[in-house]
Amino acid sequence: MSGVGIGQRPENRRQKTVKVMWTAIWLAYLGAPVSDLLHGGHAVGVQVLGWIGLVAFVVWYMLLLFRTGRGERTRLVLGSLAVLAAESTLLALTLGREWLVLFVYVAIASGAALPLRLARWTIPGASVLLTAMALVVPGGTSFIAGLLLPALLGGFAMTGVRELVRTTIALREARATVAQLAANEERLRLARDLHDLLGHSLSLITLKSELAGRMLPAHPDKAAQQVADIEQVSRQALVDVREAVTGYRRARLAPELAGAKVALTAAGVDAELPGEPDPAHLPEDSEAALAWALREAVTNVVRHSGARRCVVELLERQTLDGAVLELSVEDNGSGGPASANAPGNGLTGLAERLEKAGGTLEAGGSRRGFRLVARVPVGAATDVGSGA
């Protein structure tokens, strides 16, 4: 269907060739006018004028079909159809009933070149004109039954084909748009994952490098331990990045809590964390969103807050919308990486993650310092561990 290009303008040589061949098949029904010119006993001058009129009709008809889809104004298309109808009327009145078949092509051209809202009027109009000419032309009444039905069916069939092709084109464009949106979403996911992964890991590596540098002169053994920890963190970061790129990594609460304790301790922050959670009924997307929230919050505490104490709580609460699992991270530092009116990239990406999981994010100053609260819905009662 796309190769024929019915209802749209051909865009390359192959489509033009296919459309010419497809259209030429239906020109075989012009055999009656051709036979009339050859064997109708007309004078030479009438034959010449008849051939000129027939060729002009076919050329005008083909041009109208081929220009469909160029975005012409409706008035131009209607004017072209009026020219075809007038020429058909003139030829039928002057040469005889064999030329009534031209009105069938007028109806088909109406269905192919006009939208349905107009074609539903022009196709019956061409059929009425066909009937009127058949009543006027001598012997034309015998052609009404054989031409009226093809004019109506052919015209409305072309409107259906035209709308089908346009729908197919729209679906292809929509599919291309969906693919583009999916690619953009994957880029955003990768950007968020890399920001969260590398921000946390590089902050921990920086802290441990500073500790190793301070311990090296007096405590080389402890410095060596810090260097070993740096190697372990960097290796894990490399694994996480590879998994994030391939799309298989899913953050979990238990490992993130353990990593948070290591990062806070290395930064000299007094950490109070809940016991190991058991989110058996927590959807994977919700658990992953909370795990990313914990990682982002701890990273901000270590890098930006200057806090000396951090409290992490993980509680289940009942709301009007159902049960939610709430993660709270509060420190006594000077605040997060940015104000609430201008959140940083990390908090923005985190809010997007939670929104996709059906959750919410709150971040801002508190009486003690800075507090981040992330909530996600849970499917059933969950033993998530106690708060600090």
Side-chain angles (χ1 to χ4, degrees), residues 199-214:
H200 177 83
S201 301
L202 293 177
S203 297
L204 187 56
I205 290 174
T206 301
L207 286 171
K208 286 188 170 291
S209 299
E210 293 175 353
L211 287 175
R214 290 196 297 265

Side-chain angles (χ1 to χ4, degrees), residues 180-322:
Q180 183 64 32
L181 292 175
N184 292 338
E185 180 63 24
E186 183 64 14
R187 294 189 188 98
L188 290 175
R189 180 199 68 81
L190 183 58
R192 288 194 299 264
D193 286 359
L194 291 179
H195 174 274
D196 295 343
L197 288 169
L198 295 181
H200 177 83
S201 301
L202 293 177
S203 297
L204 187 56
I205 290 174
T206 301
L207 286 171
K208 286 188 170 291
S209 299
E210 293 175 353
L211 287 175
R214 290 196 297 265
M215 294 176 178
L216 187 59
H219 306 282
D221 294 340
K222 293 183 179 180
Q225 180 61 44
Q226 296 297 327
V227 172
D229 291 345
I230 292 172
E231 180 183 1
Q232 181 181 359
V233 172
S234 61
R235 290 182 182 276
Q236 183 60 43
L238 181 60
V239 172
D240 290 345
V241 168
R242 287 174 177 172
E243 291 180 349
V245 170
T246 55
Y248 293 125
R249 185 179 192 279
R250 184 177 294 276
R252 301 291 184 182
L253 273 173
E256 290 302 327
L257 283 170
K261 183 175 181 61
V262 173
L264 292 171
T265 301
V269 179
D270 183 14
E272 298 182 16
L273 295 103
E276 184 174 342
D278 182 23
H281 302 285
L282 188 64
E284 291 185 353
D285 291 342
S286 297
E287 182 185 3
L290 280 188
W292 285 115
L294 177 60
R295 172 175 285 226
E296 177 66 22
V298 171
T299 301
N300 289 337
V301 171
V302 171
R303 296 176 61 183
H304 304 291
S305 69
R308 307 310 302 170
R309 185 170 182 269
C310 178
V311 178
V312 179
E313 293 181 337
L314 192 60
L315 303 172
E316 183 178 356
R317 300 184 184 277
Q318 289 292 332
T319 67
L320 295 177
D321 296 327

Side-chain angles (χ1 to χ4, degrees), residues 8-337:
Q8 68 177 75
R9 179 174 65 90
E11 298 180 354
N12 52 52
R13 181 175 299 178
R14 178 179 177 275
Q15 289 185 357
K16 290 180 180 179
T17 302
V18 172
K19 189 163 186 175
V20 168
M21 294 176 61
W22 177 257
T23 307
I25 294 175
W26 305 106
L27 295 179
Y29 289 97
L30 294 176
V34 171
S35 177
D36 179 64
L37 289 174
L38 295 176
H39 311 292
H42 299 293
V44 176
V46 175
Q47 287 182 341
V48 172
L49 293 176
W51 281 112
I52 294 175
L54 182 60
V55 171
F57 180 89
V58 172
V59 171
W60 199 266
Y61 171 79
M62 296 289 286
L63 288 176
L64 181 58
L65 292 185
F66 269 74
R67 291 188 65 84
T68 300
R70 287 181 180 265
E72 291 91 348
R73 293 173 297 179
T74 303
R75 291 182 179 179
L76 181 59
V77 177
L78 289 174
S80 300
L81 290 172
V83 172
L84 288 178
E87 189 175 0
S88 301
T89 302
L90 179 61
L91 291 172
L93 289 175
T94 56
L95 296 177
R97 61 183 184 177
E98 288 79 6
W99 296 79
L100 292 173
V101 70
L102 298 183
F103 290 101
V104 177
Y105 289 91
V106 176
I108 291 176
S110 298
L114 288 175
L116 180 59
R117 60 184 177 85
L118 294 176
R120 63 182 179 180
W121 299 107
T122 57
I123 295 173
S127 302
V128 170
L129 187 57
L130 166 63
T131 304
M133 289 299 101
L135 295 175
V136 173
V137 175
T141 54
S142 60
F143 280 56
I144 294 179
L147 296 178
L148 187 58
L149 188 60
L152 289 171
L153 292 181
F156 283 110
M158 289 302 296
T159 61
V161 173
R162 186 175 188 270
E163 293 302 319
L164 178 61
V165 171
R166 291 188 178 277
T167 301
T168 302
I169 295 173
L171 288 176
R172 289 179 178 176
E173 293 176 351
R175 184 170 59 184
T177 302
V178 170
Q180 183 64 32
L181 292 175
N184 292 338
E185 180 63 24
E186 183 64 14
R187 294 189 188 98
L188 290 175
R189 180 199 68 81
L190 183 58
R192 288 194 299 264
D193 286 359
L194 291 179
H195 174 274
D196 295 343
L197 288 169
L198 295 181
H200 177 83
S201 301
L202 293 177
S203 297
L204 187 56
I205 290 174
T206 301
L207 286 171
K208 286 188 170 291
S209 299
E210 293 175 353
L211 287 175
R214 290 196 297 265
M215 294 176 178
L216 187 59
H219 306 282
D221 294 340
K222 293 183 179 180
Q225 180 61 44
Q226 296 297 327
V227 172
D229 291 345
I230 292 172
E231 180 183 1
Q232 181 181 359
V233 172
S234 61
R235 290 182 182 276
Q236 183 60 43
L238 181 60
V239 172
D240 290 345
V241 168
R242 287 174 177 172
E243 291 180 349
V245 170
T246 55
Y248 293 125
R249 185 179 192 279
R250 184 177 294 276
R252 301 291 184 182
L253 273 173
E256 290 302 327
L257 283 170
K261 183 175 181 61
V262 173
L264 292 171
T265 301
V269 179
D270 183 14
E272 298 182 16
L273 295 103
E276 184 174 342
D278 182 23
H281 302 285
L282 188 64
E284 291 185 353
D285 291 342
S286 297
E287 182 185 3
L290 280 188
W292 285 115
L294 177 60
R295 172 175 285 226
E296 177 66 22
V298 171
T299 301
N300 289 337
V301 171
V302 171
R303 296 176 61 183
H304 304 291
S305 69
R308 307 310 302 170
R309 185 170 182 269
C310 178
V311 178
V312 179
E313 293 181 337
L314 192 60
L315 303 172
E316 183 178 356
R317 300 184 184 277
Q318 289 292 332
T319 67
L320 295 177
D321 296 327
V324 297
L325 186 59
E326 180 182 282
L327 171 70
S328 172
V329 181
E330 186 174 6
D331 62 69
N332 62 349
S334 58

